Amino acid sequence: MNSTTEKTPQSGKKHFWNKKPRKELTVDDITIVDKDLLKRAVGAAALGNAMEWFDFGVYSYLAVTIGKVFFPGSNPAAQLIATFGAFAAAFLVRPIGGLVFGPLGDRIGRQKVLAITMIMMSIGTFCIGLIPSYESIGIMAPILLLVARLVQGFSTGGEYGGAATFIAEYSTDNRRGFMGSWLEFGTLGGYLLGAGLVTGLTAALPTETMLSWGWRIPFFIAAPLGLFGLYIRLKLEETPAFQKHMEKQDELEHSKPRLGLWQMLYKYRAQMLKCIGLVLLFNVSNYMLTSYMPSYLTGILGLSELSGLMLVMVVMFVMMPLTLFWGHWNDRLGRRPVIWLGAIGLIVLAVPCLMLIGTGNLLWVFVGLMVLGMLHTCFSGSMPATLPALFSTEIRYSALAIGFNISVSLFGGTTPLLTTWLVEKTHNLMMPAYYLMVAGLIGVITVFTTRETARKPLRGSAPAVGSEAEARNLIQKLRLRRQREQREQQAENNDTVLP
């Protein structure tokens, strides 16, 4: 005879009637997002990222020219390495910027820090256009270029983490992926604007004129763009999630001390490692395509400068709507499947793409670049929503800024430099493909350890919806779910008792 009896709480079985009742959610507990404020927040954040990538587009497309202006007397490959060395140097100070601006953003607010980073980015970019050439002031020219790049790097240390946090905390739970994808839409738009301006100048001006003063024009445009972006950001309100967090902090000021930097890094070390792995995947493919490929096509494959620039620009243009496409679908399919698709695609298709690019035939070069661009949009459409969701509200800006910039500095910004060096040393034109494959493998492993966050509230934040009607529907769904769980628990406990 079966002697199964009902387990008591002491025996380890918790009955639903012994559980502490959960507080019933009300409309006041749910964040209702103002749609107009959301659009302004997304636009302001995307504009700042566009400003950052306007500079990257200009610098990448002028890499050969900048090498001749600031590093004369060397062979073209050495000039390119020196130019990308100055490019990479800015990334070495990005973690320092993240260490400064991240905690500041968690303490005084996202909006204020994003205004500061906008000012510094504009000043750094504008100053590059003012630096005399090597022929005019000798060794001071590359030194001043390095200083300006360091200012840019320090400021961008607080830019992406803040912008992604800003959009994520303003967005509704069901549309966070799509809204976040506008951040990368701004990235591509800014890059395309910078690249398009350089391409237009290259086509319109003689080579001697470009070397003399034409290259300075794109950097001077940074000043009015920066002032406009600053105006937009100063008109914004703080995010609802941060406002609620600060209200709680005021109530708990004496009972809950703020985590120190090292305490935070230790406590959230698992999330930090996931952030670094995801950003590695995201940025290696990004900088390989946007920063390295224009110079690879012209300096290594020998394509005409105008042809190389135009090919990458067309790819960037197609990537813009694709980024929004994946932003929409990762809200429905989930972040993990979309990122997995891109990572596995890199592992499988990187070598075929580089073989197509290596033919030098413009059609096949375009096909190879387009496939790489399409794979990258899986990341650009998903990461702005995935990365902020790794961390809770009180440390989101700090942790994301630090983790993002450590990864970008070590693996993203150094991609053009390391890839150029590897090709130069090994004479193997497939090195970019192998680099992408390693990034894809790391991405697959990282995504496997990351939980799905689509259509869920951010850590430490209340659910966010777009209207009061949605809030009431959410409450009703949660109530029905709770009732179903209670019935299932009741049935489970009844099954443990024999008649």
Side-chain angles (χ1 to χ4, degrees), residues 97 100-120 155 157-159 162 233 238 397:
V100 172
F101 290 121
L104 199 61
D106 284 329
R107 190 159 52 249
I108 68 172
R110 288 73 162 110
Q111 184 258 359
K112 295 182 181 68
V113 174
L114 286 174
I116 296 171
T117 59
M118 175 66 79
I119 295 171
M120 292 188 67
S155 64
E159 175 59 34
R233 286 189 170 180
E238 193 50 80
Y397 200 151

Side-chain angles (χ1 to χ4, degrees), residues 181-199:
S181 67
W182 283 97
L183 184 63
E184 290 302 318
F185 186 89
T187 292
L188 293 168
Y191 186 95
L192 196 59
L193 178 62
L197 184 57
V198 173
T199 303

Side-chain angles (χ1 to χ4, degrees), residues 59-65 80-81 83-84 191 288-303 305 308-309 312 416 420:
Y59 197 93
S60 299
Y61 271 53
L62 284 173
V64 175
T65 302
L80 199 56
I81 290 174
T83 303
F84 282 136
Y191 186 95
M288 185 71 76
L289 186 64
T290 60
S291 298
Y292 178 70
M293 277 301 157
S295 300
Y296 179 80
L297 297 177
T298 56
I300 305 297
L301 297 184
L303 294 181
E305 194 168 345
L309 298 179
V312 178
T420 302

